[in-house]
Structures are given as C-alpha cells and as structure tokens.
C-alpha cells in the first residue's frame, strides 16, 4: 500500500513541529550543564579515562563501523511475514509499516536498556565503567537499526555520519540543534558542501564526546551509589535510549517522507 501525498504532508508537518519543540533545553539539562566543570574535577580518573575511550570508538565507528556496526541481514526479523529481505524491499514499503517496525524495535531496546542499567547500577561506581560503553553501543545500534528500518544502510560511511549527528542532536544546545537540523535537512540533496561540512566537524571528535559527556556524566553520578544505583541506572539508561530513539525516528521519518514527496512514483 502506497502512502498518500496528503498523509505524508501531514506527517511531515508533525515532524517539523517536533523539531521546533526541540529548540530549547529542558530545565534539567540547563541545570546539569552548569556545575559540570566542577564535577569534572572530582570525577574519578578511571571514569574520565573510560569516557576518553569513547573518543576513539566514535572515530572508529564512522571510519569502519567498528564493533557497533549493525547488519542489514536482520531486515527479515524487522518485517516478519512480509517477504522483506533487502534494503530495496524496505524502501518500497509504506512509511506507516516502517513506523510500526521501529516502534517494536524501540520498545525492545528500551527494555534492554532498563535491564542493562539496573544490572550495572547495582555495583555503583565500580560497575559504572562497564555501563558507559554498553550504553553508547546500545544507542548507536538503536540508531542504526532505525536507519535500516527506514531503508538506509549504516554500512555507508556517510550514513554513519548522519547517525553520529543524531547522537549529537540529543545533547546539543539550542544553536547546536538548529545547526544540526539544517545540516540533516540538506543531507540527501546532493549538497557536497554540507557533507564536507559534517565530515569536517566530525574531525573534532572531542566536542561530540564532551557534549555526550555533559548529558551522561551528571545523571550518572546518581548511579555511583551502590544498590540505589540499580533504580537510577535502570531509569537513566531507559531514558537515554528513549531520547536517542525519538530523535532518530523523527529525523529519519522526515528524511524518508521528504524523499517520498519528492518522488511521485512512491505516492
């Protein structure tokens, strides 16, 4: 079943309304960023080192996919009983079917994040270093699988740049969010200047990691309390995956819907 132009236009309007709502930070995020320089001074060295490892891992992810690369071979499990096996098959599906697949995927990933956060939260600060790469990996895989569900291939290096920008979007400030939305909206317009601009920004990995750390570090401090960290860890990880999934869904939906509206063959 093909998507109607009217439905696609209405859904695109909803995504654009969501983007406008993202133009400001929640009070919690504003509050969280203020004391982080002070917090950084007494954050244990081994945790700082682990956060620093994210720098290398994100760089490796964009270059090769590293340990975080999802496989398009999972497509049949995302669309059971539909005979969908390749990205080309996915691209022919209606956006509503893509949405349904992503909703199931997101629910599953949030449940995994909850269990993961609770498990690593039990030991407080001692298991926090285990949680950092696990959460990053889960977020990256969630974004990649959302990309696959909408018919995009994370094996493509340029696609991995889009995914990193989605990751950055969640923790960016007002100006940063507006810039990222502007960049991503032109991503499929064959504008090589935009892609070079994104690639250039990605050379500054430290900014990406520090933006991620600002959001991650302050909340994770609560997880340093043994046992109580179980509750905080479960909530924090579930929230983190929910936020990244919401951004990924909206940004990828906008991309797919815009392509459909520009390609009458799919209407």
């Amino acid at each position: 079943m093909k998507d109607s132009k009217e439905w696609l236009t209405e859904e695109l309007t909803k995504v654009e309304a969501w983007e406008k709502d993202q133009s400001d930070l929640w009070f919690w995020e504003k509050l969280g960023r203020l004391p982080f320089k002070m917090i950084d001074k007494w954050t244990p060295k081994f945790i700082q080192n682990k956060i620093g490892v994210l720098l290398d891992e994100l760089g490796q992810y964009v270059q090769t996919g590293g340990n975080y690369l999802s496989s398009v071979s999972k497509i049949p499990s995302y669309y059971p009983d539909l005979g969908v096996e390749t990205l080309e098959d996915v691209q022919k599906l209606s956006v509503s079917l893509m949405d349904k697949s992503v909703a199931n995927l997101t629910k599953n990933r949030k449940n995994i994040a909850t269990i993961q956060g609770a498990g690593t939260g039990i030991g407080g600060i001692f298991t926090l270093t285990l949680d950092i790469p696990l959460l990053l990996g889960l977020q990256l895989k969630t974004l990649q699988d959302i990309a696959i569900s909408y018919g995009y291939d994370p094996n493509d290096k340029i696609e991995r740049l889009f995914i990193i920008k989605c990751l950055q979007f969640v923790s960016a400030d007002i100006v940063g969010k507006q810039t990222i939305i502007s960049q991503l909206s032109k991503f499929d317009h064959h504008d090589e200047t935009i892609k070079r601009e994104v690639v250039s920004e990605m050379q500054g990995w430290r900014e990406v990691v520090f933006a991620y750390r600002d959001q991650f570090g302050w909340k994770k401090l609560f997880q340093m309390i043994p046992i109580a960290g179980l509750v905080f860890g479960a909530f924090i990880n579930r929230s983190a995956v929910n936020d990244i999934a919401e951004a990924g869904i909206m940004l990828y939906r906008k991309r797919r819907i815009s392509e459909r509206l520009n390609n009458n063959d799919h209407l």
Side-chain angles (χ1 to χ4, degrees):
M1 183 177 68
K2 293 185 177 181
D3 300 307
S4 70
K5 184 175 182 179
E6 292 74 18
W7 184 85
L8 290 171
T9 302
E10 182 180 346
E11 292 302 305
L12 181 59
T13 300
K14 291 179 182 179
V15 174
E16 291 172 343
W18 175 86
E19 287 180 337
K20 291 179 181 179
D21 288 340
Q22 305 305 303
S23 64
D24 198 3
L25 295 172
W26 291 101
F27 175 74
W28 172 257
E29 297 296 343
K30 292 179 179 179
L31 181 65
R33 292 176 184 213
L34 294 176
F36 205 88
K37 288 186 178 180
M38 177 185 70
I39 293 171
D40 196 39
K41 292 180 180 179
W42 54 268
T43 299
K45 185 67 175 178
F46 71 93
I47 290 182
Q48 296 228 25
N49 290 340
K50 179 58 70 171
I51 291 176
V53 170
L54 298 184
L55 197 70
D56 298 327
E57 291 185 348
L58 285 173
Q60 184 182 16
Y61 168 72
V62 167
Q63 295 302 321
T64 66
N67 296 322
Y68 300 120
L69 189 61
S70 287
S71 173
V72 295
S73 64
K74 297 179 181 178
I75 288 175
S77 66
Y78 296 163
Y79 294 100
D81 305 321
L82 291 179
V84 177
E85 298 182 355
T86 67
L87 282 172
E88 288 72 22
D89 292 335
V90 173
Q91 292 164 6
K92 296 175 183 177
L93 297 173
S94 66
V95 174
S96 57
L97 278 176
M98 296 177 181
D99 292 341
K100 184 177 179 180
S101 172
V102 170
N104 291 331
L105 169 71
T106 301
K107 181 180 179 180
N108 174 265
R109 293 304 165 81
K110 286 193 291 187
N111 289 338
I112 292 175
T114 302
I115 296 170
Q116 176 183 299
T120 53
I122 292 175
I125 193 172
F126 303 105
T127 52
L128 186 56
T129 54
L130 297 175
D131 197 27
I132 292 172
L134 287 174
L135 180 58
L136 173 64
L138 186 58
Q139 288 180 307
L140 281 175
K141 283 185 178 293
T142 297
L143 284 172
Q144 289 179 98
D145 290 337
I146 288 172
I148 291 171
S149 295
Y150 282 109
Y152 299 96
D153 188 0
N155 282 290
D156 186 339
K157 181 179 177 180
I158 293 297
E159 202 58 52
R160 294 199 293 273
L161 289 174
F162 188 97
I163 287 168
I164 288 293
K165 297 303 285 186
C166 289
L167 182 69
Q168 188 181 10
F169 176 85
V170 174
S171 53
D173 59 19
I174 300 171
V175 176
K177 286 182 186 293
Q178 292 174 339
T179 300
I180 292 169
I181 288 173
S182 176
Q183 289 175 333
L184 296 187
S185 67
K186 301 174 183 177
F187 215 75
D188 292 315
H189 293 181
H190 304 292
D191 189 334
E192 292 304 317
T193 301
I194 291 296
K195 292 183 179 179
R196 283 197 300 270
E197 182 181 330
V198 173
V199 172
S200 176
E201 283 189 14
M202 288 298 99
Q203 304 309 313
W205 289 114
R206 195 167 300 277
E207 292 182 9
V208 178
V209 174
F210 284 173
Y212 182 78
R213 184 201 64 179
D214 282 353
Q215 181 192 47
F216 180 88
W218 174 246
K219 295 177 182 178
K220 281 293 178 182
L221 286 178
F222 292 107
Q223 198 171 326
M224 292 184 183
I225 308 169
I227 306 303
L230 184 153
V231 177
F232 287 119
F235 172 77
I236 291 166
N237 282 24
R238 187 179 183 87
S239 176
V241 170
N242 179 73
D243 290 347
I244 203 72
E246 179 185 35
I249 290 169
M250 288 298 184
L251 295 171
Y252 269 108
R253 281 191 92 233
K254 180 181 180 181
R255 207 170 151 192
R256 178 55 67 197
I257 288 171
S258 296
E259 287 183 9
R260 288 282 167 89
L261 287 171
N262 292 326
N263 184 356
N264 292 327
D265 292 339
H266 287 279
L267 299 178

